[in-house]
Amino acid sequence: MADVLRSLRHDDGSVLAAACARALGVDGVAVSLLVTAGQGAQPEPEPLWRSPGIAAEFEELQFTLGVGPGLDAAHSGTAVVAPDLAAVRADRWPGLPAEALRIGVAGAYCFPLGLGAIRLGVLSAVTSRAGDSVPEQRFADALALAAALTAQLLERDGNPPAALGTAATVPGEIHRAVLHQATGMVSVQLDVSLADALLRLRAFAYSSNVPLGDVAGDVVARRLRFNDDNDGTDGPLSPGGRKG
């Protein structure tokens, strides 16, 4: 774990994520940052680095559904531990437990990245072993890693985020920029808020079993358009008028 903490500035995030997973004794680790897409929008997680496999798949699942222990930890500022997702009550994270088990994630341990009222992101560790306990040392190691990551993020560009209680401004490429653009386009198409537009995108992606990023790409490429039908039901239409 000490070696991991000393190598936090490693250029290859996948290598660092794999090292963190080994140090914590889990099957995968991911770090996401909270970024605000626009005025009035809820901060959403942007992937910073993650180990390949079930950790990456679990992050995408949470992002598509808009619920999960990682999002709860990031927004609440407190650790969220779900050692057995199969035992989670159905209304806590609708749709998530069954889909998580399908991709091989049985338990998740999520730790917020932040300082006081500043919410930066979340460190998530996942395991394929249902009911896997979290030894005290592993929990302490995860907290130490979260604290070190928070310190590193606050020192980027030599300055902490200017506003307390808001998502940090993250330099560099935003991995989900296409989703932010698609959210804005759907907001205009349906004359709804950005938050409602993102909900429509998520609902369509989940009901169609299509990755949220692919749906956003179709919207931006104008292969998919969201309209309100005359009967009051909402749904996407292709440019040719075919129901999506």
Side-chain angles (χ1 to χ4, degrees):
M1 191 64 196
D3 290 339
V4 170
L5 295 176
R6 283 194 294 268
S7 63
L8 279 178
R9 297 185 185 276
H10 198 292
D11 290 335
D12 190 338
S14 62
V15 171
L16 179 56
C20 289
R22 289 193 300 271
L24 296 178
V26 294
D27 295 307
V29 168
V31 171
S32 296
L33 304 182
L34 286 176
V35 176
T36 302
Q39 186 174 5
Q42 177 81 349
E44 294 290 340
E46 294 283 354
L48 180 61
W49 45 259
R50 53 199 179 182
S51 53
I54 61 174
E57 294 181 54
F58 187 67
E59 288 297 287
E60 289 302 318
L61 176 61
Q62 289 189 99
F63 186 63
T64 295
L65 295 177
V67 295
L71 292 172
D72 285 0
H75 291 139
S76 69
T78 58
V80 177
V81 176
D84 187 358
L85 286 169
V88 172
R89 68 178 189 270
D91 62 342
R92 185 175 187 185
W93 300 310
L96 182 85
E99 291 297 316
L101 291 171
R102 182 182 62 80
I103 63 175
V105 176
Y109 312 92
C110 303
F111 302 85
L113 305 179
L115 181 64
I118 300 175
R119 300 284 181 262
L120 296 178
V122 62
L123 164 69
S124 298
V126 298
T127 176
S128 60
R129 299 174 295 278
D132 189 25
S133 62
V134 183
E136 182 177 348
Q137 185 59 50
R138 184 188 302 173
F139 197 89
D141 285 345
L143 290 176
L145 178 57
L149 284 168
T150 297
Q152 181 189 357
L153 292 170
L154 288 173
E155 291 171 1
R156 293 179 75 165
D157 295 341
N159 295 294
L164 293 178
T166 62
T169 300
V170 181
E173 178 186 1
I174 300 300
H175 295 271
R176 291 179 172 136
V178 66
L179 178 67
H180 303 321
Q181 186 178 355
T183 301
M185 291 174 67
V186 173
S187 174
V188 172
Q189 291 168 10
L190 296 176
D191 192 23
V192 297
S193 68
L194 290 172
D196 286 343
L198 182 56
L199 284 175
R200 301 289 183 88
L201 283 164
R202 279 181 163 141
F204 178 68
Y206 181 64
S207 63
S208 304
N209 196 27
V210 176
L212 184 57
D214 291 351
V215 173
D218 285 343
V219 171
V220 172
R222 292 176 171 78
R223 292 187 294 268
L224 191 61
R225 179 180 175 84
F226 282 69
N227 281 335
D228 285 341
D229 294 336
N230 292 331
D231 63 1
T233 59
D234 300 333
L237 299 174
S238 70
R242 181 175 59 82
K243 187 77 173 181

